[in-house]
Amino acid sequence: MKRPARARPTLATVARQAGVSAPTVSKVVNGREDVAPETRARILAALEQAGYQSRPPRRSPTEAGTVVEVVIDVLESAYMVEVLNGVLQFAAGADVEILLSVTGPAPGSLRSPERRAQRMLDEGRAGMIVVTSAFSEAQLHAFRRRRIPVVVIDPLNPPSADVVSVGAANWAGGKAATEHLLELGHRRIAYIGGTPAAECNQARLHGYMAALMAQGVPVDPRLIISGGSFRRESGITGLKALLQLDQRPTAVFAGSDTIALGVLSEAGRQGIRVPEDMSLIGFDGTTLGQESVPPLSSIAQPLEEMGRAALRALLRQALGEVLDSHRVELATQLVLRDSTAPPAA
């Protein structure tokens, strides 16, 4: 016997379950903030349990005028510019408009998930791409409940299994960078990382450790420096810390090109020659590394392709397609320039 289809829950149903009025539930669904936090939390739980989904009319992503929002924390790195170039290139061919939101180091504009998600629905946007920013489960729930596609690029926190993410082969890249330094003859190799909890940073660190252990080189925790961010300051403070050790490293693997440039500038101030006194390799393969003195060896990420892949995946979801995989991982490549050499005798 065929089971009858489950009726779509109404605001009244949710209101009864939460013990509030239907207009109060409507306020929460529509992102209004004039609801007490405890009441809001109770209503959100009831909405989740009931499987309520707001479904106002939306334009098809194949229609002209489709808008996709891209959220970044700061627009001051070559990494970010190259990823955005990829997004814009694909958008131009797909007749998609890109709206850029810069949140700053703390994603303050994402603090009201329900309001943010409902506004996107009301304005008919096809979805959101989040680049190297933290995105909480509450925020993802708000978007998921409204069936708004979200794609994250190099997420700072691991997304849930049903969220599409795009990144490079960070573990393999970290291993390749360290293997290159080992092949040159280095044994005291330091790692200066970026944001400690970032998924990409953890993968690069684990690749570094795997390469050392494969060659029988002990992992010295004193040579692993947490920079706190992927910016130049992390490289500066990281190298200062390493220079306090009794035995300095002969090579440094930096978790990003920007960190590597910080290492390079501090090395110059300390009278350390690169690569004669210390080898240095970065991660990203951005144009900044080509222009440094000396030019920077690096693990190149396909940054523009990552941007294109993210927008491609988002538009496919907006069309209702089921993706084969929720994780898009693109290969990295070792790019050798002039900042790495065998250790001094």
Side-chain angles (χ1 to χ4, degrees):
M1 181 177 177
K2 187 176 180 180
R3 182 178 297 177
R6 182 182 176 185
R8 179 170 176 253
T10 64
L11 291 181
T13 303
V14 174
R16 283 194 298 273
Q17 185 173 342
V20 297
S21 66
T24 303
V25 176
S26 179
K27 287 181 180 181
V28 172
V29 169
N30 288 292
R32 294 266 299 274
E33 296 186 343
D34 54 339
V35 178
E38 291 183 2
T39 304
R40 178 184 299 276
R42 194 164 69 249
I43 292 171
L44 289 174
L47 287 166
E48 185 73 22
Q49 184 176 350
Y52 182 87
Q53 293 177 330
S54 176
R55 301 180 188 175
R58 300 174 65 190
R59 290 181 296 186
S60 164
T62 59
E63 295 179 18
T66 297
V67 179
V68 170
E69 185 167 350
V70 178
V71 177
I72 64 174
D73 56 353
V74 290
L75 185 56
E76 61 177 26
S77 68
Y79 166 96
M80 201 68 72
V81 170
E82 292 186 32
V83 169
L84 288 175
N85 279 340
V87 173
L88 293 171
Q89 288 167 11
F90 193 88
D95 194 21
V96 171
E97 296 178 25
I98 299 300
L99 174 65
L100 182 63
S101 295
V102 181
T103 65
S109 61
L110 297 183
R111 288 174 185 165
S112 180
E114 296 295 326
R115 184 175 183 182
R116 182 66 177 271
Q118 189 61 42
R119 181 174 61 81
M120 287 195 65
L121 259 187
D122 293 342
E123 295 178 1
R125 295 177 194 166
M128 176 183 284
I129 297 174
V130 183
V131 188
T132 62
S133 297
F135 212 75
S136 71
E137 276 302 307
Q139 291 156 352
L140 291 173
H141 277 308
F143 280 70
R144 188 182 299 119
R145 190 157 44 243
R146 293 166 174 82
R147 297 185 177 180
I148 301 173
V150 175
V151 176
V152 294
I153 299 177
D154 270 348
L156 294 187
N157 51 327
S160 56
D162 60 343
V163 176
V164 176
S165 63
V166 176
N170 290 294
W171 184 89
K175 187 170 183 286
T178 311
E179 285 175 343
H180 167 62
L181 296 172
L182 288 166
E183 289 168 2
L184 289 173
H186 295 278
R187 291 299 179 266
R188 286 193 61 76
I189 302 170
Y191 175 73
I192 302 178
T195 307
E199 192 175 45
C200 58
N201 181 72
Q202 287 294 317
R204 292 167 197 175
L205 172 59
H206 292 158
Y208 154 86
M209 296 171 67
L212 292 177
M213 291 186 289
Q215 292 295 319
V217 177
V219 176
D220 186 344
R222 295 172 299 175
L223 295 178
I224 299 174
I225 304 294
S226 173
S229 73
F230 287 100
R231 300 191 174 102
R232 290 174 64 98
E233 292 75 14
S234 295
I236 294 170
T237 57
L239 182 59
K240 286 179 178 179
L242 292 169
L243 294 180
Q244 299 302 311
L245 299 175
D246 293 335
Q247 283 186 285
R248 297 178 174 182
T250 63
V252 173
F253 167 31
S256 74
D257 285 354
T258 308
I259 292 175
L261 293 180
V263 172
L264 192 58
S265 64
E266 182 61 25
R269 282 190 287 271
Q270 299 281 353
I272 298 171
R273 299 170 300 165
V274 175
E276 293 85 356
D277 302 324
M278 184 186 72
S279 284
L280 175 64
I281 187 168
F283 201 109
D284 286 335
T286 59
T287 54
L288 290 177
Q290 300 173 28
E291 299 165 357
S292 65
V293 180
L296 182 67
S297 294
S298 184
I299 299 296
Q301 298 191 75
L303 298 175
E304 291 189 355
E305 178 54 32
M306 285 162 58
R308 289 191 290 267
L311 183 53
R312 185 185 303 116
L314 187 144
L315 294 177
R316 288 184 60 192
Q317 290 181 87
L319 286 168
E321 294 185 33
V322 177
L323 304 184
D324 296 332
S325 172
H326 282 77
R327 172 65 179 174
V328 179
E329 187 166 283
L330 304 174
T332 55
Q333 180 182 3
L334 174 64
V335 177
L336 298 181
R337 298 194 182 102
D338 300 336
S339 65
T340 52

